[in-house]
Amino acid sequence: GNSVTQMEGPVTLSEEAFLTINCTYTATGYPSLFWYVQYPGEGLQLLLKATKADDKGSNKGFEATYRKETTSFHLEKGSVQVSDSAVYFCALNFNKFYFGSGTKLNVKP
Amino acid sequence: DGGITQSPKYLFRKEGQNVTLSCEQNLNHDAMYWYRQDPGQGLRLIYYSQIVNDFQKGDIAEGYSVSREKKESFPLTVTSAQKNPTAFYLCASSLGQNNQPQHFGDGTRLSIL
């Protein structure tokens, strides 16, 4: 079946540190992949997406590359800010949406 | 601006009471979804609808009901049969194609009085 696995949090970083949040997936076909961000008390906002192998999605300094050979879609940012503190969800769409369990990021000043 | 509107933002339910959460979208999306999110947890699918007048149960449909009489609207009723309704409820919509994302509302927080 289809599923998404994310690294468990919380992830705690200092401001300007490099961020990686790991996401791997299992799919019976070729899904589209997404990263969402959720701030406290709010809904999920689409951060970036990739629809085929080797696509790189990017937005607001975040990026993720669709790696078919490793079935991964890791989220990266070169220099995090306090305002990036949130919960990040990896998701795939292949006839149905599947969400990871979320990774909480805390960025300290 | 196009988007998804959920109301109310906060809702309180008394014992034995049914409550209805509203979800409206003006994105012209065919598919709509309801999720439940418990504190510190991920999303669990309650119901979804891919077309007007049709909907399917998700993973945790017991104690909930929905209707889809209009393309723009997908209300969720939390019935008295749902014994632990306290949670954050999220509505989403999409074009229903594999390469398209879901778009989310701002959520409704339901609590028990």
Side-chain angles (χ1 to χ4, degrees):
Chain A
N2 301 326
S3 66
V4 176
T5 302
Q6 289 182 235
M7 63 188 288
E8 286 199 24
V11 173
T12 302
L13 296 173
S14 297
E15 205 164 25
E16 299 184 3
F18 185 87
L19 169 70
T20 300
I21 299 179
N22 290 338
C23 171
T24 56
Y25 67 89
T26 302
T28 54
Y30 301 103
S32 295
L33 300 173
F34 308 90
W35 276 102
Y36 287 85
V37 58
Q38 184 180 33
Y39 299 101
E42 298 184 9
L44 277 66
Q45 299 175 26
L46 179 66
L47 185 57
L48 52 84
K49 73 173 188 178
T51 58
K52 61 183 188 298
D54 299 325
D55 268 1
K56 177 184 281 189
S58 61
N59 186 25
K60 300 180 182 178
F62 292 90
E63 59 182 35
T65 301
Y66 189 140
R67 302 284 189 200
K68 180 182 162 188
E69 61 277 10
T70 54
T71 62
S72 65
F73 192 54
H74 304 321
L75 182 68
E76 297 181 335
K77 187 176 185 184
S79 176
V80 293
Q81 305 300 311
V82 172
S83 58
D84 293 327
S85 299
V87 179
Y88 293 82
F89 289 92
C90 184
L92 73 82
N93 185 5
F94 186 69
N95 296 325
K96 183 181 173 182
F97 269 86
Y98 299 84
F99 287 88
S101 55
T103 302
K104 186 172 184 179
L105 171 65
N106 295 319
V107 180
K108 297 184 174 180
Chain B
D1 285 341
I4 300 176
T5 301
Q6 289 188 241
S7 62
K9 190 166 179 65
Y10 299 96
L11 187 58
F12 298 91
R13 196 191 88 168
K14 295 180 181 178
E15 293 287 340
Q17 186 181 44
N18 293 354
V19 291
T20 297
L21 285 61
S22 170
C23 178
E24 304 278 332
Q25 54 98 0
N26 61 3
L27 299 168
N28 200 33
H29 285 172
D30 289 313
M32 296 187 75
Y33 313 81
W34 274 106
Y35 292 93
R36 170 177 172 143
Q37 187 177 33
D38 291 288
Q41 303 297 310
L43 306 177
R44 291 189 288 171
L45 182 64
I46 305 172
Y47 269 98
Y48 64 101
S49 168
Q50 294 177 306
I51 196 168
V52 175
N53 291 323
D54 189 40
F55 49 83
Q56 287 77 40
K57 293 181 179 179
D59 302 318
I60 56 164
E62 185 174 349
Y64 300 97
S65 65
V66 294
S67 62
R68 186 86 188 276
E69 297 176 1
K70 298 187 301 182
K71 187 175 185 177
E72 302 80 19
S73 179
F74 191 43
L76 173 74
T77 297
V78 184
T79 75
S80 56
Q82 173 49 247
K83 296 307 179 188
N84 184 23
T86 298
F88 190 51
Y89 290 87
L90 287 162
C91 179
S93 70
S94 77
L95 284 170
Q97 298 161 9
N98 277 348
N99 63 350
Q100 297 297 319
Q102 287 187 355
H103 299 264
F104 285 81
D106 287 335
T108 293
R109 188 166 300 280
L110 176 62
S111 302
I112 295 296
L113 281 177

